[in-house]
Amino acid sequence: MRFTIERLRTILLVAGALLVVTLGAFLALGRWKNALFRNRDIPKRLGIDISQESSGVTYTQSHGGHTEYKIHASKVVQLKNDHALLHDVQIELYGPDGSRADRIVGNEFEYDQQAQVVKAEGPVEIVMTRPAPAPSATARQRGSQAKPGAQVATDQVRVKTSGLSFDRKSGIATTDQRVDFSVTQGSGTAIGATYDSEQGLLILDRQVELDLKRNGEAVTVHADHAEFERGDMICNLRGAAADFRNGEATAGKATIVFREDGSAVRLDADGGFTMSTATDGRLSAPQGWLVFNEHNQPRQGHLEGGVAMDSLTHTDQAERRAHGTSPTAELEFTETGELRHAHLERGVDLTSDERGVGEAAPFQAIRTWRSPVADIEFRQSADNSRVEPEQIHGVGGVTITATTQTGSGPVLPSRLAAEDVTVNLAPGGALSELQGVGHASLEETTGTGTLQTSAGDRLVTHFSSAPAAGAATGGNSSSAPRRQGKAPTAGTAEIESAALDGHVVITQKPAAKPGEVAATMRATAGHADYENAGEWMHLTENPAVNDGAMQLTGDKIDVSQLTSEAFAHGNVKATWLAQDGAKEGGPAAGASMPMAGLGGQGPSHVIAAEAEVNQGSGQATFRGNARLWQDANSVAAPQIAINRLKETLVATSTDPRNPVRVVLVSARGGGLDVSGSKSSNREESRNGEPSVIRVSGGSLKYSDAERKAVVTAMDGGRVEAETGTANTVSDEVEVMLLPPGNHAGKNGSSAQVDTMTALGHVVVTSQDRRGTGTKLVYTGETEDYVLTGTGAAPPKLFDPEKGTVTGEALIFHSRDDSVSIEGGGNETVTQTRTPKGRD
């Protein structure tokens, strides 16, 4: 609210003080009349105690060597009814030291000696010489050094009226005629006046009006009624109103207490006080008071009963209406009378409604402030024409809400709350900085419909007044989502940076698409920084992000408030948890969906140096010695990419020293052995225990929907696969996993591999044996290895003891350590059984 305290001072202080000065002329008139007619022998001294006429009569009254007053009448007529008429009367009254001369001039006075009433039938003019206020001690000391006969500066008050009547017995002077008075600073009028000399009470009956000038500025004060109590130096105004160049002020009742020098001490307003400006600003309260210094400058003020503040400001592009209420307001002023502080309490409500037109579309922003207590600091405007808010501070629980709309786009709400909130304003009233301390929280909706909340122990936000990016595109046509609260106008503040400290919690819930349930992302940290470029939130101090399906931690996590992307840096850890079905036509609510991983049913875990997560696409990419494991299955690679929605996993490497490494659990296991030697894995096979399959290569592509993992070689490299006792080298390895379900072995561990197929230039070795072919298939159910080739290059197996064996297919039976050799038409050509090992 931009009200100028200079206006308040001009209206309620200078005007009030000047009113008292002019009313003092009437007061002096009554006092002088009482003195002039105190002695009953005045007519005798004028020679008018009998019926006669006299001309050029002058009477002088002196006391202590000083003249008190002097009366001159051009003609005196003594009437027989104890009435006396004085014509062309001039009365001069002097001060106690005889240094001042006040003058009363009238054409005709009539004195009723019996009723002791004096009447002026015609016009009366009073000229009062008013001394300046009493000098200070320093001024008196300087005055003692002045030349003899030096006079104190004076000012004159002129009063004109008619029909004046003075009752000596009651000491009351009255007139029902117009009263005109003037001083150096201005002039005034009233209809009807009464002065009670005994009580020291002066009353202006009605239609009181003052036209004043202060510092070259015209001010008009109106009042329905005015009273001045001389003894207590109090002026009471009823139905008062003041018109000035830039506004108006009114008060149902106003009481002004003055010092002896005429300066105001205190102003009390009751029955409704309002102040409005030409720029549509308005301040009102049922009652209040102001305290002033000796220079008529306000120092303290109090408004109560329901304070209301309204303002309207315009720019080339926007219009802003503001409204505020508070039960009470305490005001503090500088030594020069400028408003510097306002304390509002017992429930503060502030609302602003800003509407305008951006580069291509209209916008509207409605904001509210609610707090039990608020303190407002003021400063002088840049052009020194007014005071304006510099800072707003609320305590006891502050809530700030806002709704914004651009063009025909959606209405975007936001809400900020904290126990203690401080808002700093730039020159002109634009937001500069906001600080929230104690359970600080921010809730807002983005242009894409994402609901975001941020909470922490302390929130600090910095604003800029630059126009919103993409403002020219309007509300719905922007190619990039716009964050809530960014109206496309240069006059609207935008968040430039922000920081959250202590127990930071951030949530993002995208708008649900048809047939889907939106997943909520939740992030925690000890500290969060927000920057406008790209609109990222940077989380540090043990940050963690959970999107409902995945938990992500690291040294630092960057979260996009536009796209729900997250980037983690340093000691990254991620875990995928079981989740309920959310897709239309998918599993019913409560049913478990497949998770990102390698076909297992338990949680999946990943560690890496960095990670990039896109909640919208379901893609998560891990880089830097990444490793994923689920149950007993695992994969390690320089980069691992997981798509939760597509249920795929891709691991890649271009470094032969750090290939993709995959570890899978076989259905039962068993090694490749034609020698008859004992193997612990063969014992596991006989006992039905699962074994481990290890595969390494250039890339891994896994589809959970197909339950298939394909490992391919990098350029110039080969794929290596290792079972219990056999190693395979090939161009590619394809692993088929069993369908989801319980495939646990006797010890409860899971068994995932159904078949493993090695393709292209296959070389399989086990101890001293070596087989070659184009394809090797391992089947977990039968525990058999089948090695095949082509007609031109059939499979071969070399054994140091047995020599070389070949055929269309070489089948190795791990359960009994036998090898079957098949010819054309799957006809068994020969069969060899190796001797069993001994303990």
Coordinates of all heavy atoms in Angstrom, one line a residue, residues 730-781:
S730 N 32.5 -67.5 -28.3 CA 31.7 -67.4 -29.5 C 31.5 -66.0 -29.9 O 31.9 -65.1 -29.2 CB 30.4 -68.1 -29.3 OG 29.7 -67.5 -28.2
D731 N 30.8 -65.8 -31.0 CA 30.4 -64.4 -31.4 C 29.3 -63.9 -30.6 O 29.2 -62.7 -30.4 CB 30.1 -64.4 -32.9 CG 31.2 -64.8 -33.8 OD1 32.4 -64.6 -33.4 OD2 31.0 -65.3 -34.9
E732 N 28.4 -64.7 -30.1 CA 27.2 -64.3 -29.4 C 26.7 -65.4 -28.5 O 26.9 -66.6 -28.8 CB 26.1 -63.9 -30.5 CG 24.8 -63.5 -29.9 CD 23.8 -63.1 -31.0 OE1 24.1 -62.2 -31.8 OE2 22.7 -63.8 -31.0
V733 N 26.1 -65.0 -27.4 CA 25.5 -65.9 -26.5 C 24.1 -65.5 -26.2 O 23.9 -64.3 -25.9 CB 26.3 -66.1 -25.2 CG1 25.5 -66.8 -24.1 CG2 27.6 -66.8 -25.4
E734 N 23.1 -66.4 -26.3 CA 21.7 -66.1 -26.1 C 21.3 -67.0 -24.9 O 21.4 -68.2 -24.9 CB 20.9 -66.4 -27.3 CG 19.4 -66.1 -27.1 CD 18.6 -66.4 -28.3 OE1 18.7 -65.7 -29.3 OE2 17.9 -67.5 -28.3
V735 N 20.7 -66.3 -23.9 CA 20.3 -67.0 -22.7 C 18.8 -66.9 -22.5 O 18.3 -65.7 -22.5 CB 21.0 -66.5 -21.4 CG1 20.5 -67.3 -20.2 CG2 22.5 -66.7 -21.5
M736 N 18.0 -68.0 -22.4 CA 16.6 -67.9 -22.2 C 16.4 -68.3 -20.7 O 16.8 -69.3 -20.2 CB 15.9 -68.9 -23.1 CG 16.0 -68.6 -24.6 SD 15.3 -67.0 -25.1 CE 13.6 -67.2 -24.7
L737 N 15.6 -67.4 -20.1 CA 15.3 -67.7 -18.7 C 13.9 -68.4 -18.6 O 13.1 -68.2 -19.5 CB 15.2 -66.3 -17.9 CG 16.5 -65.5 -18.0 CD1 16.3 -64.3 -17.1 CD2 17.7 -66.3 -17.6
L738 N 13.7 -69.1 -17.5 CA 12.5 -69.7 -17.2 C 11.4 -68.7 -17.0 O 11.7 -67.5 -16.6 CB 12.6 -70.6 -16.0 CG 13.5 -71.8 -16.2 CD1 13.7 -72.5 -14.8 CD2 12.9 -72.8 -17.2
P739 N 10.1 -69.0 -17.2 CA 9.0 -68.1 -17.0 C 9.0 -67.7 -15.5 O 9.5 -68.4 -14.6 CB 7.8 -68.8 -17.4 CG 8.3 -69.9 -18.3 CD 9.6 -70.3 -17.8
P740 N 8.4 -66.5 -15.1 CA 8.3 -66.2 -13.7 C 7.7 -67.2 -12.9 O 6.7 -67.9 -13.3 CB 7.5 -64.9 -13.7 CG 7.7 -64.3 -15.1 CD 7.8 -65.5 -16.0
G741 N 8.2 -67.5 -11.7 CA 7.6 -68.5 -10.9 C 8.7 -69.0 -9.9 O 9.8 -68.5 -9.8
N742 N 8.3 -70.1 -9.2 CA 9.3 -70.6 -8.2 C 10.1 -71.7 -8.8 O 9.5 -72.8 -9.1 CB 8.5 -71.1 -7.0 CG 9.4 -71.6 -5.9 OD1 10.6 -71.4 -5.9 ND2 8.8 -72.3 -4.9
H743 N 11.4 -71.4 -9.1 CA 12.3 -72.4 -9.6 C 13.4 -72.7 -8.7 O 14.5 -72.8 -9.1 CB 12.8 -71.9 -11.0 CG 11.7 -71.5 -11.9 ND1 10.8 -72.4 -12.5 CD2 11.3 -70.3 -12.3 CE1 10.0 -71.7 -13.3 NE2 10.3 -70.4 -13.2
A744 N 13.1 -72.7 -7.4 CA 14.2 -72.9 -6.4 C 14.7 -74.3 -6.4 O 14.0 -75.2 -6.6 CB 13.6 -72.5 -5.1
G745 N 16.0 -74.3 -6.1 CA 16.7 -75.6 -5.9 C 16.4 -76.1 -4.5 O 15.6 -75.6 -3.7
K746 N 17.1 -77.3 -4.2 CA 16.9 -77.9 -2.9 C 17.3 -77.0 -1.7 O 16.7 -77.0 -0.6 CB 17.6 -79.2 -2.8 CG 17.1 -80.3 -3.7 CD 17.8 -81.6 -3.5 CE 17.3 -82.7 -4.4 NZ 18.0 -84.0 -4.2
N747 N 18.3 -76.1 -1.9 CA 18.7 -75.2 -0.8 C 17.9 -73.9 -0.8 O 18.3 -73.0 -0.1 CB 20.2 -75.0 -0.9 CG 20.6 -74.2 -2.2 OD1 19.7 -74.0 -3.1 ND2 21.8 -73.9 -2.3
G748 N 16.9 -73.8 -1.7 CA 16.1 -72.6 -1.7 C 16.6 -71.5 -2.6 O 15.9 -70.5 -2.8
S749 N 17.7 -71.6 -3.2 CA 18.2 -70.6 -4.1 C 17.5 -70.7 -5.4 O 17.1 -71.8 -5.8 CB 19.7 -70.8 -4.3 OG 20.0 -72.1 -4.9
S750 N 17.4 -69.6 -6.1 CA 16.6 -69.5 -7.4 C 17.4 -70.1 -8.5 O 18.6 -70.0 -8.6 CB 16.1 -68.1 -7.7 OG 17.3 -67.3 -7.9
A751 N 16.7 -70.7 -9.5 CA 17.3 -71.2 -10.7 C 16.6 -70.5 -11.9 O 15.4 -70.6 -12.0 CB 17.2 -72.7 -10.8
Q752 N 17.3 -69.7 -12.7 CA 16.7 -68.8 -13.7 C 16.9 -69.3 -15.1 O 16.1 -69.2 -16.0 CB 17.2 -67.4 -13.6 CG 17.0 -66.7 -12.3 CD 15.5 -66.4 -12.1 OE1 14.8 -66.2 -13.1 NE2 15.0 -66.4 -10.9
V753 N 18.1 -69.9 -15.5 CA 18.4 -70.2 -16.9 C 17.7 -71.4 -17.3 O 17.7 -72.5 -16.7 CB 19.9 -70.4 -17.0 CG1 20.3 -70.8 -18.5 CG2 20.7 -69.1 -16.6
D754 N 17.0 -71.3 -18.5 CA 16.4 -72.4 -19.1 C 17.3 -73.0 -20.2 O 17.7 -74.2 -20.1 CB 15.1 -72.0 -19.8 CG 14.3 -73.2 -20.4 OD1 14.6 -74.3 -20.1 OD2 13.4 -72.9 -21.2
T755 N 17.8 -72.2 -21.1 CA 18.8 -72.6 -22.1 C 19.8 -71.5 -22.3 O 19.5 -70.3 -22.1 CB 18.1 -72.9 -23.5 OG1 17.5 -71.7 -24.0 CG2 17.0 -74.0 -23.3
M756 N 21.0 -71.9 -22.7 CA 22.0 -71.0 -23.1 C 22.5 -71.4 -24.5 O 22.9 -72.6 -24.7 CB 23.2 -71.0 -22.1 CG 24.3 -70.0 -22.5 SD 25.8 -70.1 -21.4 CE 26.5 -71.6 -22.1
T757 N 22.6 -70.5 -25.4 CA 23.0 -70.8 -26.8 C 24.1 -69.9 -27.2 O 24.0 -68.7 -27.1 CB 21.8 -70.6 -27.8 OG1 20.7 -71.4 -27.4 CG2 22.2 -71.0 -29.2
A758 N 25.2 -70.6 -27.6 CA 26.4 -69.9 -28.1 C 26.4 -70.0 -29.6 O 26.3 -71.1 -30.1 CB 27.7 -70.4 -27.5
L759 N 26.6 -68.9 -30.3 CA 26.5 -68.9 -31.8 C 27.7 -68.2 -32.4 O 28.3 -67.3 -31.9 CB 25.3 -68.0 -32.2 CG 23.9 -68.5 -31.7 CD1 22.8 -67.5 -32.0 CD2 23.6 -69.9 -32.4
G760 N 28.2 -68.8 -33.5 CA 29.2 -68.3 -34.3 C 30.6 -68.5 -33.8 O 31.0 -68.1 -32.7
H761 N 31.4 -69.4 -34.6 CA 32.7 -69.7 -34.2 C 32.9 -70.2 -32.8 O 33.6 -69.6 -32.0 CB 33.6 -68.5 -34.5 CG 33.6 -68.0 -35.9 ND1 32.7 -67.0 -36.3 CD2 34.2 -68.4 -37.0 CE1 32.9 -66.7 -37.5 NE2 33.8 -67.6 -38.0
V762 N 32.1 -71.2 -32.5 CA 32.0 -71.6 -31.1 C 33.2 -72.5 -30.7 O 33.6 -73.4 -31.5 CB 30.7 -72.4 -30.8 CG1 30.7 -73.0 -29.4 CG2 29.5 -71.6 -31.1
V763 N 33.8 -72.2 -29.6 CA 34.9 -73.0 -29.1 C 34.6 -73.3 -27.6 O 34.4 -72.4 -26.8 CB 36.3 -72.3 -29.2 CG1 37.4 -73.2 -28.5 CG2 36.6 -72.0 -30.6
V764 N 34.5 -74.6 -27.3 CA 34.1 -74.9 -25.9 C 35.3 -75.8 -25.4 O 35.8 -76.7 -26.0 CB 32.8 -75.7 -25.8 CG1 32.8 -76.9 -26.7 CG2 32.5 -76.1 -24.4
T765 N 35.7 -75.5 -24.1 CA 36.8 -76.2 -23.5 C 36.4 -76.6 -22.1 O 35.7 -75.9 -21.4 CB 38.1 -75.3 -23.5 OG1 37.8 -74.2 -22.7 CG2 38.5 -74.9 -24.9
S766 N 37.0 -77.8 -21.7 CA 36.8 -78.2 -20.3 C 38.0 -79.0 -20.0 O 38.3 -80.1 -20.6 CB 35.6 -79.1 -20.2 OG 35.4 -79.6 -18.9
Q767 N 38.8 -78.5 -19.1 CA 40.1 -79.1 -18.7 C 40.9 -79.3 -20.0 O 41.2 -78.3 -20.7 CB 39.9 -80.5 -18.0 CG 39.2 -80.3 -16.7 CD 39.0 -81.6 -16.0 OE1 39.6 -82.6 -16.3 NE2 38.2 -81.6 -14.9
D768 N 41.3 -80.5 -20.5 CA 42.1 -80.7 -21.6 C 41.3 -80.9 -22.9 O 41.9 -81.2 -24.0 CB 43.1 -81.8 -21.5 CG 44.1 -81.5 -20.4 OD1 44.4 -80.3 -20.2 OD2 44.6 -82.5 -19.7
R769 N 40.0 -80.9 -22.8 CA 39.2 -81.2 -23.9 C 38.8 -79.9 -24.6 O 38.5 -78.9 -24.0 CB 37.9 -82.0 -23.5 CG 38.3 -83.4 -23.0 CD 37.2 -84.0 -22.2 NE 37.0 -83.3 -20.9 CZ 37.8 -83.5 -19.9 NH1 38.8 -84.3 -19.9 NH2 37.6 -82.8 -18.8
R770 N 38.6 -80.0 -25.9 CA 38.3 -78.8 -26.7 C 37.3 -79.2 -27.8 O 37.6 -80.1 -28.6 CB 39.5 -78.2 -27.3 CG 39.3 -76.9 -28.1 CD 40.7 -76.4 -28.5 NE 40.6 -75.1 -29.1 CZ 40.4 -74.9 -30.4 NH1 40.3 -76.0 -31.2 NH2 40.3 -73.7 -30.9
G771 N 36.2 -78.5 -27.9 CA 35.2 -78.7 -29.0 C 35.0 -77.5 -29.8 O 35.1 -76.4 -29.3
T772 N 34.7 -77.7 -31.1 CA 34.4 -76.5 -32.0 C 33.2 -76.8 -32.7 O 32.8 -77.9 -32.9 CB 35.6 -76.3 -33.0 OG1 35.7 -77.5 -33.8 CG2 36.9 -76.0 -32.2
G773 N 32.5 -75.7 -33.2 CA 31.3 -75.8 -33.9 C 30.8 -74.4 -34.2 O 31.4 -73.4 -34.0
T774 N 29.6 -74.3 -34.7 CA 28.9 -73.0 -35.0 C 27.8 -72.7 -33.9 O 27.4 -71.6 -33.8 CB 28.3 -73.0 -36.4 OG1 27.3 -74.1 -36.5 CG2 29.4 -73.2 -37.4
K775 N 27.4 -73.7 -33.2 CA 26.3 -73.5 -32.2 C 26.4 -74.5 -31.1 O 26.7 -75.7 -31.3 CB 25.0 -73.7 -32.9 CG 23.8 -73.4 -32.1 CD 22.5 -73.6 -32.9 CE 21.3 -73.3 -32.0 NZ 20.0 -73.5 -32.8
L776 N 26.3 -73.9 -29.9 CA 26.2 -74.8 -28.7 C 25.0 -74.4 -27.9 O 24.8 -73.2 -27.5 CB 27.5 -74.6 -27.8 CG 27.5 -75.3 -26.5 CD1 27.6 -76.8 -26.7 CD2 28.7 -74.8 -25.6
V777 N 24.2 -75.5 -27.5 CA 22.9 -75.2 -26.8 C 23.0 -76.0 -25.5 O 23.2 -77.2 -25.5 CB 21.7 -75.6 -27.6 CG1 20.4 -75.4 -26.7 CG2 21.6 -74.8 -28.9
Y778 N 22.8 -75.2 -24.4 CA 22.8 -75.9 -23.1 C 21.3 -75.8 -22.6 O 20.7 -74.7 -22.6 CB 23.7 -75.2 -22.0 CG 23.3 -75.6 -20.6 CD1 23.7 -76.8 -20.1 CD2 22.7 -74.7 -19.8 CE1 23.4 -77.2 -18.8 CE2 22.4 -75.0 -18.5 CZ 22.7 -76.3 -18.0 OH 22.4 -76.6 -16.7
T779 N 20.7 -77.0 -22.1 CA 19.4 -77.0 -21.6 C 19.4 -77.4 -20.2 O 19.9 -78.4 -19.8 CB 18.6 -78.1 -22.4 OG1 18.6 -77.8 -23.8 CG2 17.1 -78.1 -21.9
G780 N 18.8 -76.5 -19.4 CA 18.8 -76.7 -17.9 C 18.0 -77.8 -17.5 O 18.3 -78.5 -16.5
E781 N 16.9 -78.1 -18.2 CA 16.0 -79.2 -17.7 C 16.6 -80.5 -17.9 O 16.5 -81.4 -17.0 CB 14.7 -79.1 -18.6 CG 13.7 -80.2 -18.2 CD 13.1 -79.9 -16.9 OE1 13.1 -78.8 -16.4 OE2 12.5 -80.9 -16.3

